[in-house]
């Protein structure tokens, strides 16, 4: 059977995939489908349901600029609120009929003869002339490499795959990891667990959380006078850009924030000075993701909560033994150990012109042009691809910028009757040389920590080493001469795309 042929396939219905669907529709490209493996939209905000999960970026900025929500109940939203926002965006923008829920991508291979991506999905085969991956970076859980983890007899749960049937009341719970997810879940676990052991390898810099409930007045103001919400967003953007400026050019200036974090620690644990040193990082603030909490640090003052800083040696059926020979008996193990991030989850499944996957081409150290297009992978757009993450700010801003560039490519294809477009290899190379040069002075390389931002070869492959505004400027300046294209007239005649 001939597979259905469509103009564009989008993989994922999180912020980036939905953003793509909306941008396509608004730009008049109606022939597209979105494949989403989950039963609803949301991406990371659908997957992550651990207690305490919320966004550490203010919602007025962490939302589409073209779809503001005047009704955020809190300034930093919990995950459910964000998921509902995305659902509303999908409904209001009319993209729901384009989404095939419960369908996952197994493989996407460029078919030179069909001049299209041949997609093998859990729901059969598809031909898509253009492929947009919106598969995010923080998807596949990373499990810690600790001897005997498989032998643990109790329940093991990763923060990103929370099991709500888990009854933790009165249980002895161990948490491995003290990153952004753990910092949110630990205070919640402490409320119910009988005993809580937190296994910390590296402490995080924790700053006071400025979250608050929004007032009826400000919500009415935002609704009535949208300019006020735009002003609020602009203010937060500037504040974040100052953070980006410091992270990328003057990391030393973060000493002030380190002082605030130390002050916060002392205030949160005034009666436990013996814990202060253990909870104080020895690397520059910003080197790892900065965390925000008014509850995390004070949790260690509770009598049933223990901070374990001795390294873990082994896990057995009943608990964890640490280097000092102490055995910590546990009923449940919570893994807050993060994600496999340096490559997009789809990298192993996307096969380019020469038969190699993105994963093969990248070999653990990915690069793209503007994080979005890759030489040798025609008509492919990788949202939240290499170097599109941020030290401070909102990835939604980056997604929108990538979409401006992607839509400019698609429009150029239509205007100039092009069958394929991809970046020139030399342009992509020069861009990445520049990204790596700019990365040299950043806190991520010089801050004295190891983080998921860096690939094994030490390159910064995840973060944009400049201002969000600089990325927006680069992506807006679309230049067809930076790309290799094939005129549509040069490719063999093929069936017209079938509208969905
Ligand atoms: P993460 O930041 O990668 O933290 C993983 C934690 O697990 C670290 O403390 C790490 O210690 C520890 N760990 C990993 N392997 C270990 C091992 N073998 N033994 C001991 N400890 C181990 O992961 P995450 O907390 O899930 O956060 C990931 C990213 O998700 C964040 O950086 C952020 O971008 C995003 N996130 C965002 C929000 C939000 O509010 N927007 C919330 C949650 C997550 P080391 O530091 O020593 O490696």
């Amino acid at each position: 059977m001939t597979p259905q042929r469509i103009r564009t396939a989008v993989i994922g219905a999180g912020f980036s995939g939905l953003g793509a669907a909306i941008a396509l529709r608004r730009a008049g490209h109606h022939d597209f489908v979105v494949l989403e493996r989950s039963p609803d939209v949301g991406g990371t905000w659908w997957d992550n349901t651990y207690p305490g999960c919320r966004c550490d970026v203010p919602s007025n900025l962490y939302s589409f600029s073209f779809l503001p929500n005047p009704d955020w109940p809190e300034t930093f939203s919990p995950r459910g609120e964000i998921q509902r926002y995305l659902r509303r965006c999908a409904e209001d923008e009319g993209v729901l009929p384009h989404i095939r829920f419960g369908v996952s991508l197994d493989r996407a291979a460029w078919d030179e003869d069909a001049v299209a991506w041949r997609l093998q999905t859990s729901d059969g085969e598809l031909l898509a002339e253009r492929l947009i991956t919106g598969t995010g970076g923080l998807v596949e859980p990373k499990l810690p490499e600790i001897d005997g983890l498989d032998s643990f007899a109790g329940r093991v749960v990763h923060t990103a795959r929370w099991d709500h049937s888990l009854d933790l009341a009165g249980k002895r719970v161990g948490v491995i990891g003290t990153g952004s997810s753990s910092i949110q879940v630990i205070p919640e676990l402490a409320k119910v667990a009988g005993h809580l052991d937190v296994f910390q390898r590296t402490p995080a810099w924790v700053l006071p959380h400025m979250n608050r409930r929004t007032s009826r007045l400000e919500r009415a103001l935002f609704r009535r006078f949208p300019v006020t919400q735009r002003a609020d967003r602009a203010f937060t953007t500037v504040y974040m850009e100052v953070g980006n400026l410091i992270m990328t050019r003057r990391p030393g200036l973060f000493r002030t924030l380190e002082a605030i974090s130390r002050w916060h620690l002392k205030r949160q644990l005034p009666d436990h000075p013996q814990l202060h040193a253990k909870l104080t990082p020895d690397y520059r603030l910003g080197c790892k993701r900065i965390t925000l909490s008014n509850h995390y640090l004070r949790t260690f003052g509770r009598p049933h909560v223990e901070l374990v800083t001795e390294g873990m040696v082994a896990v057995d059926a009943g608990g964890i033994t640490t280097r000092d020979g102490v055995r910590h008996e546990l009923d449940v193990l919570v893994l807050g150990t993060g994600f496999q991030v340096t490559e997009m989850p789809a990298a192993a499944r996307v096969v380019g012109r020469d038969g190699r996957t993105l994963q093969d081409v990248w070999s653990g150290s990915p690069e793209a042009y503007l994080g979005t297009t890759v030489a040798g992978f025609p008509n492919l757009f990788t949202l939240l691809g290499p170097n599109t993450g941020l030290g401070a700010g909102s990835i939604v801003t980056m997604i929108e910028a990538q979409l401006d560039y992607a839509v400019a490519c698609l429009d150029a294809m239509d205007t100039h009757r092009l069958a394929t477009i991809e970046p020139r290899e030399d342009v992509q190379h020069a861009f990445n040389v520049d990204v790596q040069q700019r990365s040299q002075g950043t806190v991520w390389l010089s801050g004295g920590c190891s983080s998921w931002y860096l690939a094994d070869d030490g390159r910064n492959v995840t973060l944009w080493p400049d201002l969000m505004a600089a990325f927006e400027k680069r992506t807006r300046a679309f230049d067809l001469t930076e790309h290799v294209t094939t005129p549509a007239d040069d490719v063999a005649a093929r069936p017209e795309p079938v509208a969905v």
Side-chain angles (χ1 to χ4, degrees), residues 45 50 54-57 138 142 144-146 159 176-182 184 199 201-202 288-289 312 336-339 450 452-453:
W45 301 107
Y50 61 82
R54 77 169 59 233
C55 186
D56 55 14
V57 180
L138 306 170
K142 194 176 87 186
E145 290 140 15
I146 307 170
T159 48
I176 302 180
T178 51
S180 306
S181 303
S182 300
Q184 295 181 337
F199 297 89
R201 186 163 67 185
T202 316
K288 287 173 182 280
R289 190 174 172 89
M312 292 171 286
T337 43
F339 301 87
S450 69
W452 59 264
Y453 299 154

Side-chain angles (χ1 to χ4, degrees), residues 37-59:
R37 67 180 179 182
S38 297
D40 205 343
V41 304
T44 197
W45 301 107
W46 174 263
D47 286 347
N48 281 272
T49 62
Y50 61 82
C53 181
R54 77 169 59 233
C55 186
D56 55 14
V57 180
S59 296

